Each structure stands twice: as structure tokens, then as C-alpha cells.
Amino acid sequence: MQISNLKIKGFRSFGPDEVTIPLTKKLVGFIGLNSAGKTTALEALRKLFGGSFSDREIVRQDFHIGKDEDPNEITERELTIEVHIGFSNDEKEAVPHFFANMIVDEEGGNPYIRIRLEATWNKSDLELDGQIDSKMYYIKVAEGQAEDEDSKQIYPNHFRSLIQVLYVPAIRRPGEQLKYASGSILYRVLKKIKWNDTFKTEFDEKIEEINNAFKALPEFDTVQSSISGFWQQFHKDERYKDTTLGFGGSDFDSILKKLEVSFSPTGTHKIFTIDELGEGYRSLFYLTLVCALLDIEEKLAKGEDEDSIGISRPLLTILAIEEPENHIAPQLLGRVIKILKTIADKENSQVLLSSHTPAIVKRLDPESIFHFRITEEFETEVNQILLPDKADEAYKYIKEAVHNYPEIYFAKLVVIGEGDSEEVIFNRLMPIMDTDFDDNIITFAPLGHRFVNHIWKLLETLHIPYITLLDLDVEREGGGWGRVKYALQQLIKIGINKKKLLGLSDGSILSDEQLDKMHTWSLTAKDAIKDLNSWVDCLKLYNIYYSNPLDLDFLMLTHYSEFYKNAIPENGGPQIPDKIKKTEKFQEKINTAIHATLKSEEATAATYSEDEKELMIWYNYHFLGRGKPATHIQVLSLINNRNIKKSLPPIFTEIFNRISLLLK
């Protein structure tokens, strides 16, 4: 038994257009920036299946108000919250309760039930907050079929105990859940115990014995007499003249209200109560209580008669946890998610959580994640994470990529690069370009080149803008025209208009056959580099930029060559023969560097200048013989902001200008 669909319309940040959240997994995560509607979605379930009237009560603030609407001019509003609950083949407990209201979409399809909360608000001159009417129904027609009055049946109140929501708020106060008060977790746990009359009688007798023993002490009698004497001097009311000092509440229920949990050993030679624990442990203990309740319900139900199973415990428990990461050390979050997965695996349990942290997201299956965002109309939009087909080679790569860089889900803009060098350089350029990635919620992700179209498609689905910086790799295998061809093909895969993308200056359109052979186009023919750069400039319209002509490491080396040449250990650096004499050894050194840099024994660097060929010696030394990020960190730390800006490659100015434009 599992909620397979949650539909919300007109509830708080959810607008008048119905939003459907397909809960195909038993453990799902709601992610997104603050105030995107994650908590609202969890609250929607509580409005349906909350354990108390206050949980289920609909108030004026629950009805959606549009961006440009004046609340004072609104006279009526509606909201609906609906769930589809499906059943597995072996659920003998649940089927009898819901059989009469089950529906199927097609012959041979799996049965399910539809439960809907409908609420209306009408402005009233007699009531300050207006009049609210809310009802829960079974919807007895399949999805998509016309509804009439006969297709609705009031959801019986006595069925409310069959489905429960355990809501764990972001601010957790386990002390309140340890009180023997209606609605608390401890109350619900202890109510599961069948206290027999004999036990209660013996318990009351023991308490009376303890009180009498204290009264027999002379010192205790002195205290009792003194309090009674002064009390009678202060008033003459016969109803309250006698006082009795003892352990408060001698009845069984009163004693239960004084139960508390203590922790030991603590290292301080005293036990600790729940209020003395730190925030993190209190938060963990709150989750402990929830897990204990579910475990107790399951164990006690197994020990009862078959006829009572399903009545004594809920048939479905939905555990809705808001921000499980709150106050908990990151290294403990793995345990938390592991426990939640165990709960979700139970036949009668389902777990939904909301989170802001990558530490939680990276531990969830991407397929079970839903991304929440607020649109320009200030309404919640929900999108599921899209991955390639499992049979696709890209599936595993993309899944691992989003696991390793879950920050992209929370970004307002993503900068996609090819490796760690880009991240180091962008971090150094942020203060110089007056664009702080943290302040603007910009995420850098080294996910470029391979399967990049799937990353683009993912970000398009989540409506997160992005910029991609790739290596042009001129004269490397697959580089130059091959890199441009790759980008064009990836753009076509995500749905970019082919005619617009492949339009030529003479008005014609590059054919599929021409595009397929683009990687074979010459780089040494007249105007070849000029034509290549024209295509590179064209791709900037789609936020794709290139480190031209080779890669980002070579780009930085050409613009800050003196600084990279000076960033060597004492007596270090490449051994370069005398350049002035142009000896064979010098040319041999150049040729070796060209082959290493361009990764081919056949490479000639024909499209590179003489100065660039010489710099390949340094490229070989710094970036093929040492760690690339470490080299950039060392060099950039030696250059002041003024000198960086003075020699800044133009591509970075273009990218940062584009970032500013996209953020607006």
C-alpha cells in the first residue's frame, strides 16, 4: 500500500493549475531553495491524514493568492489535495477496508483508490476570516473520467486511523513528544499497551505505600505540619483546609505523565535528561521516537488476533520529515538516511523528506528526487530529475555526476567546465569580476564534454540557467571541428531548432551529411581557422564557450606566461636549449613538446604561432608533469588582482558578463 500520486491545487504556494507529484519510490526527497513549496507539499499530506483536528484544519491562509491579486478583493477560493493509493498483490490486510472504493484505469491494471480533500473559502461580513467548508471524499471514477455527485463518497471518519502521517518538523522538540499528552509520540506508544486492572490496582497500592512511608518519618511530619498550619492561617475556606504532602498524583495516569528518558553514562557522574542534550542529539532522539513508534506498532500488531489486524495499527504510515539534516553532523547523515530507507522498505510505511543540503541529496537515488522552484508568478513548480535511459551508456555517468555534484540542484546558475582547473580559476576570478558565486548561488560543476547534453537537459528541466566552458583542442584528435560538431549535435539532441542552429551566412542550412563529416574539415586550408572561430562565436549564443585554441591551461599560460615561468622551484623548470642559436636540440625540444601537448606523434602545431609552440615546453612541464589545479593555485596566488585583470583572457570577460545577464 503506497501513495503513488500526490496532486495539489490552490493550496498555499500551489497555484490554480494542478501540480502532480508521482511518488513512484517509497523514499523520496523534495529539494529546492527556501520557500519553494517543499514544506507545503508535506503539509498537504498532513491536511489529509493528520492525527488530530488541528493537523487537518483548513484555515484562510491555506488558500492560494496570486502574485498580482489584492486579498481584500477576493470573495471566494477553492483548494484540492488528492492522493492515489495503490496496492500490491499480497496486501490482505488493507484490501477489505478499501475494496468497495477501488478503481482501475484499464482491464488488468493495478487497483487504486483516490482520496481527495476539497475546501472552499467564502468571504463573510459576519466572520472575520470568512467561511470555510472542507470535506474528504473517495473519488470512485478512474483518472480522466467525468465526475458527478455519484462519483464522490464521503470519506468515513472511522477510516482516518487506517492512514496516518507522522510529521517531523524542522524545529524538533523531543521533550514535547515525551509527554503523556494526547498527540505526543509517547502517548501513542503507551496507548498501545493494554494495562490490565490488576496491574493498575497493584501500582496504586505501591505508590500509596511509598507515600505512607515518607509520612512516618518525623522530619517529614514536621514539614507537613508547618505547611498545613501556615496554610490555615492564610484562609478559612473549609474546602481546602487540609494539605497532604506526597508524590503528586497517586493515580496511574498521573504517574505516566511524569515519565522521562535519561541518558548515561555521561562522564559527569550524573544522568542527563533530554533537555540537557545538544541540539544535534535532541534532533536524533526525535527521529528515534518516531522509529520506535513504528517498530512498536508492528510488533504489537503481530501479536494480536488476525481479526483485529489493521484496526490496531495504521495500514499505511507516511513519515514526512522536514530537513532531517538540521543540527546533525554531516558524517551522521548517512546513518539517518540508512534508517529511513529501512523504514521505507516496510510494507506499511512510506517516507517523504525535504532538504536543502547536498549531503542528503547525494545519498538519495536521483530518480526519487523532486525539484521545487518558485516561478515568476510566485507559484510552486515541481519537476522530477531526468536521467538517460538505463540502457544508455550515459546513464551511469550522469547518475554518478549528479551524486558527486548535488549542489547543481540548489543553484540559480550552473557553470559547467571540463575539470578542476576551471573551478580553481573561476574561484580566483570571482572577486576580480565582482561576482561572488556564493552570494549569487552559482555552482561550478566539472561535468563538461562527455554526455554534456544530458546535463543540459537536466538543467533545462529544472529551469536552472547554465553556461558551458569547453576545450577547443585544436589539432588534438577529435579537436577543433570535432569539438564544434559535438556541441552542435548535443544542442540538437536537447531540442534546439536545427534550421536556426545550422544556418549559414549565405542563407543555406548545413545538411546532416555535412554536419556528420564536420570533424574531417581541414584546419590548414585558407580561412579555415577564421571559419572555425565563426562557429565558436555562434555557439556563444547558446551559452557555450571555448578555451581557444587548446584548453584552459594553455589559455592561462599564454596570457600569464611570465608568471608561470617564474613559478618553479629553485633549480627547477624545463631544460630548454639555446633559442638564439636555433640549434637542432632546441627544435627537437619544441617538437617533443608539441607531440606531448597535442597528444600525437604526428602533430605539427601548424595552426599555432612560434611563441605558442615554445610555450608548449612549459605546458608539458607544468600541466603534464605536475598537477594542473596545484599549478594554477600556486601561480594565481603570486599575481595581484590588477595584473590578473590587465592580462585577463577575453573569454572570461564574456562569460562573467553573460552570468550577470542570466542572473537578471
Side-chain angles (χ1 to χ4, degrees), residues 22-89:
L23 305 177
T24 55
K25 303 287 185 179
K26 293 195 72 180
L27 170 62
V28 300
F30 296 162
I31 66 171
L33 297 176
N34 288 325
S35 299
K38 304 182 299 297
T39 298
T40 297
L42 298 180
E43 286 278 6
L45 288 171
R46 189 154 69 152
K47 295 295 183 182
L48 282 169
F49 305 118
S52 65
F53 174 77
S54 60
D55 288 340
R56 302 189 301 269
E57 184 182 14
I58 300 294
V59 297
R60 170 69 184 94
Q61 291 75 18
D62 289 330
F63 293 87
H64 178 76
I65 297 177
K67 174 183 177 182
D68 299 319
E69 289 186 299
D70 183 350
N72 297 318
E73 295 180 358
I74 299 173
T75 58
E76 62 180 359
R77 271 293 183 268
E78 296 180 352
L79 69 80
T80 61
I81 303 169
E82 181 178 327
V83 293
H84 293 191
I85 299 178
F87 300 84
S88 61
N89 294 328

Side-chain angles (χ1 to χ4, degrees), residues 44 58 80 83 98 144 251 294 404 441 478 518 521 568 581 613:
I58 300 294
T80 61
V83 293
F98 301 105
D251 63 283
L294 295 173
N404 292 329
I441 318 181
M518 181 181 275
W521 292 1
I568 57 175
K581 296 181 180 180
K613 292 177 183 178

Side-chain angles (χ1 to χ4, degrees), residues 552-619:
L552 188 60
D553 307 309
F554 193 72
L555 185 69
M556 294 296 289
L557 180 60
T558 56
H559 282 75
Y560 303 99
S561 56
E562 292 306 314
F563 293 99
Y564 279 90
K565 288 178 180 180
N566 291 331
I568 57 175
E570 187 175 353
N571 299 321
Q575 300 299 313
I576 304 176
D578 192 340
K579 175 183 176 181
I580 303 298
K581 296 181 180 180
K582 295 186 178 180
T583 61
E584 289 184 10
K585 287 187 177 181
F586 176 75
Q587 190 58 46
E588 184 179 336
K589 187 75 174 182
I590 293 288
N591 291 337
T592 301
I594 290 172
H595 296 160
T597 301
L598 301 181
K599 301 178 181 180
S600 172
E601 293 294 325
E602 306 298 324
T604 62
T607 62
Y608 292 83
S609 68
E610 293 302 317
D611 287 341
E612 288 174 332
K613 292 177 183 178
E614 184 179 339
L615 283 176
M616 290 182 183
I617 298 174
W618 288 93
Y619 182 96

Side-chain angles (χ1 to χ4, degrees), residues 93-286:
E93 296 179 27
V95 170
H97 300 288
F98 301 105
F99 183 78
N101 297 292
M102 285 183 174
I103 51 179
V104 292
D105 289 334
E106 58 187 3
E107 185 177 347
N110 291 326
Y112 64 93
I113 57 173
R114 297 173 64 185
I115 300 175
R116 182 191 296 162
L117 168 66
E118 296 182 356
T120 58
W121 172 87
N122 289 282
K123 193 172 184 178
S124 172
D125 295 330
L126 300 177
E127 298 182 50
L128 182 63
D129 288 331
Q131 294 179 331
I132 295 176
D133 179 48
S134 65
K135 290 184 175 66
M136 273 182 66
Y137 299 97
Y138 281 118
I139 307 300
K140 304 185 70 173
V141 296
E143 185 75 26
Q145 294 185 7
E147 297 179 18
D148 54 32
E149 290 304 314
D150 293 334
S151 62
K152 294 182 182 179
Q153 178 180 317
I154 293 291
Y155 188 78
N157 282 331
H158 64 274
F159 269 39
R160 292 188 182 276
S161 62
L162 299 181
I163 304 173
Q164 71 170 347
V165 167
L166 287 179
Y167 186 81
V168 181
I171 300 175
R172 296 188 260 281
R173 299 184 177 92
E176 295 178 3
Q177 301 303 319
L178 280 170
K179 295 176 181 177
Y180 190 69
S182 179
S184 73
I185 292 177
L186 182 63
Y187 179 84
R188 295 165 75 167
V189 168
L190 295 178
K191 290 293 283 185
K192 302 290 179 183
I193 301 175
K194 292 184 177 180
W195 312 100
N196 59 55
D197 293 336
T198 302
F199 174 82
K200 288 185 177 181
T201 300
E202 292 178 353
F203 190 90
D204 290 340
E205 290 174 354
K206 295 294 183 183
I207 294 298
E208 187 175 358
E209 286 180 17
I210 294 173
N211 278 327
N212 290 335
F214 269 89
K215 291 175 184 177
L217 295 173
E219 296 84 355
F220 192 86
D221 184 59
T222 301
V223 175
Q224 170 78 52
S225 300
S226 180
I227 291 175
S228 295
F230 279 103
W231 174 241
Q232 292 174 10
Q233 291 180 41
F234 276 106
H235 80 98
K236 301 300 179 181
D237 194 323
E238 289 293 320
R239 293 176 297 172
Y240 312 116
K241 68 175 183 176
D242 295 327
T243 61
T244 301
L245 190 62
F247 291 98
S250 59
D251 63 283
F252 183 69
D253 278 357
S254 296
I255 296 298
L256 285 181
K257 291 177 182 178
K258 301 181 184 303
L259 282 176
E260 65 177 30
V261 171
S262 59
F263 303 88
S264 63
T266 63
T268 59
H269 305 290
K270 79 178 191 75
I271 61 174
F272 268 42
T273 63
I274 189 70
D275 292 329
E276 293 176 289
L277 293 179
E279 289 282 1
Y281 278 126
R282 271 186 274 177
S283 188
L284 286 172
F285 193 73
Y286 196 116

